[in-house]
Amino acid sequence: MNLFKTWLVNKYVAHRGLHDDTHPENSISAFLNARDNGYAIELDVHALEDNTPVVFHDETLKRLTGQDGYIKNVKNVDELKKITLLNSTEQIPTLEEVLKAVNGSTPILIEIKDYNLNGNLESRIYDLLKKYDGEYAVMSFNPYSMRWFRKYAPEITRGILSYSLKDQKMGFMKRFLLTRPKFIKNVCDPQFVAYKWEEVPNKYVKKFNELPLLVWAVQNQSDYMKVAQHCDNIIFENFSPRI
């Protein structure tokens, strides 16, 4: 498949849905709002304690719910449904609930937030995607998450998220490897790249390379114009992009 001719390049992607004061980020209403405005959807998936895939960005609950604790320590869906998103009556959705709500009506770009190497979350996500009749792709900062899909679900389009990682506390060698395309290609052979927009172009990623290049998360039209000539598509939020 030529990914340059698919939605990954030809349809703007709304970061965590088309969210605003009335549509919380990563909520079902934000995803339907993106669909209704003609956009694809980007969302984040964590695992609960029982490995249920849920759609939520942060590791901690505080910013988005006002509650203390970690999303990974929520025991199960019953416990999850006791938590409400801030300034909303909406709850944190499971990935299964989002797939049912979207129902193939717009493409979904799934960021997997898994830094384990056991494949449990990836396996649960795959079980859901096998039954889903719609367009989607998966991506992660963790190349070993994408290696799982390369090995067990090669039919699913997979990508790698990356940037300089200068703001992350990690050793030099780990940072070096995770920002080098050759290492990443050997681990998971990604089919597209999603890179931090402020760091494009650079010597590692560029438009019209062998892989489609998406950039994240563009915040306004002016920044979009700065990066448009250097990428194939954008993941955006807080504005309505236009050529």
Side-chain angles (χ1 to χ4, degrees), residues 67 74 76-85 91-92:
Q67 296 194 23
V74 178
N76 51 42
V77 174
D78 288 340
E79 291 296 316
L80 183 75
K81 293 309 175 184
K82 298 176 183 178
I83 304 170
T84 302
L85 295 170
Q91 299 166 324
I92 300 169

Side-chain angles (χ1 to χ4, degrees), residues 138-174:
V138 297
M139 63 181 182
S140 180
F141 282 103
N142 181 0
Y144 293 97
S145 176
M146 293 299 95
R147 184 173 71 171
W148 189 97
F149 280 91
R150 178 188 185 185
K151 182 175 182 179
Y152 297 107
E155 74 277 13
I156 293 181
T157 301
R158 62 188 178 274
I160 196 72
L161 280 152
S162 191
Y163 69 111
S164 64
L165 299 173
K166 292 178 180 178
D167 59 344
Q168 298 297 310
K169 294 180 179 180
M170 61 178 64
F172 169 80
M173 184 55 65
K174 183 176 182 180

Side-chain angles (χ1 to χ4, degrees), residues 34 46 69 97 99 150 237-238:
H46 278 276
E97 289 171 335
L99 295 177
R150 178 188 185 185
E237 64 182 350
N238 301 326

Side-chain angles (χ1 to χ4, degrees), residues 47-150:
L48 299 184
E49 189 175 296
D50 68 355
N51 283 318
T52 299
V54 297
V55 178
F56 197 74
H57 176 268
D58 296 2
E59 293 184 7
T60 61
L61 297 169
K62 191 70 175 180
R63 179 177 70 89
L64 296 168
T65 72
Q67 296 194 23
D68 294 326
Y70 290 82
I71 189 70
K72 68 180 181 180
N73 292 335
V74 178
K75 292 183 178 180
N76 51 42
V77 174
D78 288 340
E79 291 296 316
L80 183 75
K81 293 309 175 184
K82 298 176 183 178
I83 304 170
T84 302
L85 295 170
L86 278 177
N87 303 316
S88 173
T89 59
E90 291 193 70
Q91 299 166 324
I92 300 169
T94 65
L95 179 59
E96 183 175 16
E97 289 171 335
V98 171
L99 295 177
K100 286 181 179 178
V102 176
N103 194 29
S105 58
T106 197
I108 303 176
L109 182 54
I110 301 169
E111 179 183 343
I112 301 174
K113 290 189 169 295
D114 184 14
Y115 304 101
N116 298 307
L117 301 178
N118 56 30
N120 290 341
L121 177 57
E122 288 77 8
S123 178
R124 292 290 294 270
I125 291 172
Y126 185 39
D127 286 343
L128 295 172
L129 293 178
K130 283 188 292 187
K131 300 179 287 185
Y132 183 66
D133 186 17
E135 295 180 295
Y136 57 84
V138 297
M139 63 181 182
S140 180
F141 282 103
N142 181 0
Y144 293 97
S145 176
M146 293 299 95
R147 184 173 71 171
W148 189 97
F149 280 91
R150 178 188 185 185

Side-chain angles (χ1 to χ4, degrees), residues 216-236:
W216 53 269
V218 180
Q219 301 281 334
N220 57 62
Q221 184 68 23
S222 176
D223 290 340
Y224 175 31
M225 290 296 95
K226 292 176 186 176
V227 77
Q229 64 180 318
H230 302 300
C231 67
D232 299 300
N233 196 10
I234 62 169
I235 302 169
F236 74 94

